[in-house]
Amino acid sequence: MDPAKARELKTFVEQCKANPSTLADPNLTFFRDYIESLGGKLPSSAYATGESPRPRDTKIPVVDESDEDMDDIDEDDMGGVPEEPEIEDEIVESDIELEGDVVEADNDPPQKMGDPSIEVTEENRDASQMAKGKAMHSISEGNFEEAIEQLTEAILLNPTSAIMYATRASVYVKMKKPNAAIRDASAALEINPDSAKGYKTRGMALATLGKWEEAAKDLHLASKLDYDEEISAVLKKVEPNVHKIEEHRRKYDRLRKEREQKRVERERNRAKAAYEASKKKEKSSSSRASGGMPGGFPGAGGMPGGFPGAGGMPGGFPGAGGAGGMPGGFPGSMPGGMPGNIDMSKILNDPELMAAFKDPEIMEALQDVMKNPANFAKHQANPKLAPIISKMMGKFGVPK
């Protein structure tokens, strides 16, 4: 838009805002109607005396068109406006109300781990047990830092003992250091895959991180290996959250599946509609292309003037039982008129005849003869027309 025009329009709109009575000018009725058509409301001062706002339910009259009329409208003539794709709202998952205390993950450097490749002597085992005994005493007094140091010493002396790792893991759980506990519990399970304490401590650590489903899995395994009341108590807190998570997941999986099914159905319907439209257009094009000879041979595309499929030639190729022939020179007679079983393919497949029918001079002469066979006399000297008439008579089996 011309910037100068835009500025003028802006000035006009600002004037209307400042003085709505400007719109009462009869010359601006179209502008009021436009604003109202968009759902806008104007103050009473915007209307001349005796005028009122246009009713909101005013509708533009719709001209009813039959299906047949609509079928005749070529889709290309309608501008080929593509169908706008349906915009779907994104599925936003709601929050799950879960119960239970969750701690922040510990990010301390990994604790010391033993070397499983060293050979453990009896002396080392005994010393490891002594260190563990001290650690248990420290745990009973609530001195967890000291217990960790003593258990680390026990692990370094006997790195093949799963119970040492599992015990240190349980202390890390008490210290609310779940990641350290998970490392120790996993180490215990590598040494002994059937370590109930390994599964128990890892399950408890996962629960404190809010990893409810993983926690439930480990705790159930621990309960099967060596059930105790502590495992049962933790499971009572974990399992309700697991059930909520599973139900939440099923709900949104179902919603996504339903949305995908609807999308596939829409795509299928669009493809079907496009296919049917293409077939309809192809059929319409084929019917137009098979129009045949100009003028219209009923049932076969048409010769000028119209050869009926049975009876006589309109206008006078003799054929009512008479004899003599066409005035002006078509010899012979056609009793009973032009036969109705003429093989039109002989004409339609003859390139010379088809080319001749495109010649306006020949078509004009043929139509003149069709109207009045006596007029053939004035055309027989035409070197273009005589061979065509002769060839057509040959196609119809009329003796020349």
Side-chain angles (χ1 to χ4, degrees):
M1 186 176 182
D2 186 352
K5 298 287 186 183
R7 285 194 295 272
E8 291 177 6
L9 179 60
K10 182 179 179 182
T11 301
F12 171 70
V13 171
E14 290 175 350
Q15 179 183 348
C16 291
K17 287 181 180 178
N19 184 12
S21 62
T22 302
L23 295 174
D25 187 336
N27 294 323
L28 296 177
T29 301
F30 74 95
F31 189 59
R32 288 204 313 266
D33 290 344
Y34 173 67
I35 295 174
E36 292 174 340
S37 70
L38 298 178
K41 294 182 178 180
L42 297 173
S44 58
S45 60
Y47 301 93
T49 304
E51 286 187 321
S52 59
R54 185 177 66 176
R56 297 300 296 273
D57 59 349
T58 301
K59 296 182 180 179
I60 298 174
V62 178
V63 178
D64 186 22
E65 297 184 3
S66 67
D67 292 341
E68 293 181 359
D69 292 337
M70 292 303 294
D71 290 343
D72 292 338
I73 299 176
D74 193 294
E75 291 177 2
D76 293 338
D77 296 337
M78 296 176 69
V81 179
E83 179 184 353
E84 292 186 5
E86 182 177 341
I87 300 175
E88 293 183 347
D89 293 333
E90 185 67 25
I91 295 178
V92 180
E93 294 190 20
S94 61
D95 294 332
I96 312 174
E97 294 184 4
L98 302 175
E99 299 178 0
D101 296 329
V102 177
V103 303
E104 186 177 349
D106 53 307
N107 296 312
D108 297 336
Q111 63 269 37
K112 290 182 180 180
M113 311 293 272
D115 182 1
S117 64
I118 67 171
E119 182 178 352
V120 181
T121 63
E122 285 297 325
E123 292 180 0
N124 286 346
R125 281 194 177 86
D126 292 341
S128 176
Q129 286 296 330
M130 288 181 64
K132 179 189 174 187
K134 293 178 182 178
M136 298 305 293
H137 178 71
S138 298
I139 293 171
S140 65
E141 293 185 347
N143 193 346
F144 299 135
E145 290 288 352
E146 186 176 294
I148 290 294
E149 292 178 4
Q150 292 162 341
L151 286 168
T152 298
E153 180 184 354
I155 288 170
L156 294 176
L157 288 168
N158 184 8
T160 63
S161 173
I163 195 63
M164 296 299 180
Y165 282 108
T167 302
R168 190 171 69 173
S170 66
V171 178
Y172 279 128
V173 169
K174 294 178 185 297
M175 296 174 69
K176 296 184 177 180
K177 293 186 176 183
N179 282 335
I182 290 170
R183 286 192 291 270
D184 271 352
S186 296
L189 291 168
E190 286 181 11
I191 298 170
N192 179 15
D194 293 328
S195 170
K197 192 167 185 176
Y199 283 118
K200 173 184 173 180
T201 53
R202 191 169 72 179
M204 293 172 68
L206 288 168
T208 60
L209 287 173
K211 298 182 179 181
W212 307 109
E213 291 174 292
E214 296 175 58
K217 181 179 178 182
D218 276 354
L219 291 169
H220 279 295
L221 285 171
S223 183
K224 288 180 181 178
L225 292 168
D226 186 12
Y227 174 82
D228 65 37
E229 292 296 330
E230 189 176 17
I231 296 175
S232 178
V234 177
L235 276 173
K236 286 180 180 178
K237 297 178 181 179
V238 170
E239 286 187 323
N241 289 338
V242 173
H243 294 325
K244 290 179 181 179
I245 292 170
E246 290 175 345
E247 181 59 32
H248 179 87
R249 185 182 297 119
R250 281 193 295 268
K251 172 184 174 181
Y252 285 96
D253 284 348
R254 183 178 68 254
L255 290 175
R256 291 188 184 92
K257 184 177 180 180
E258 290 173 356
R259 187 176 70 164
E260 179 62 16
Q261 289 174 341
K262 290 179 181 178
R263 186 192 68 79
V264 170
E265 183 65 22
R266 283 197 304 274
E267 291 297 328
R268 186 183 295 116
N269 290 338
R270 287 196 187 105
K272 182 180 178 181
Y275 172 77
E276 291 175 350
S278 175
K279 294 296 289 183
K280 182 177 179 181
K281 188 172 183 180
E282 181 181 343
K283 183 178 179 181
S284 176
S285 299
S286 299
S287 63
R288 287 197 296 265
S290 62
M293 291 184 229
F297 225 128
M303 194 177 288
F307 277 98
M313 265 189 212
F317 271 33
M326 182 180 289
F330 272 7
S333 64
M334 288 185 259
M338 179 73 74
N341 60 349
I342 295 172
D343 185 358
M344 291 308 302
S345 64
K346 292 181 179 180
I347 293 177
L348 298 175
N349 294 327
D350 190 309
E352 184 180 355
L353 288 177
M354 294 305 294
F357 292 145
K358 295 178 182 179
D359 187 325
E361 182 181 355
I362 292 176
M363 290 308 303
E364 184 179 355
L366 284 173
Q367 289 173 354
D368 188 33
V369 173
M370 294 301 106
K371 293 176 183 177
N372 185 0
N375 291 338
F376 178 71
K378 67 180 181 182
H379 296 292
Q380 62 183 345
N382 187 334
K384 287 186 178 181
L385 184 60
I388 298 303
I389 295 293
S390 177
K391 192 162 191 176
M392 289 175 60
M393 291 173 62
K395 297 290 184 182
F396 296 150
V398 179
K400 302 177 185 178

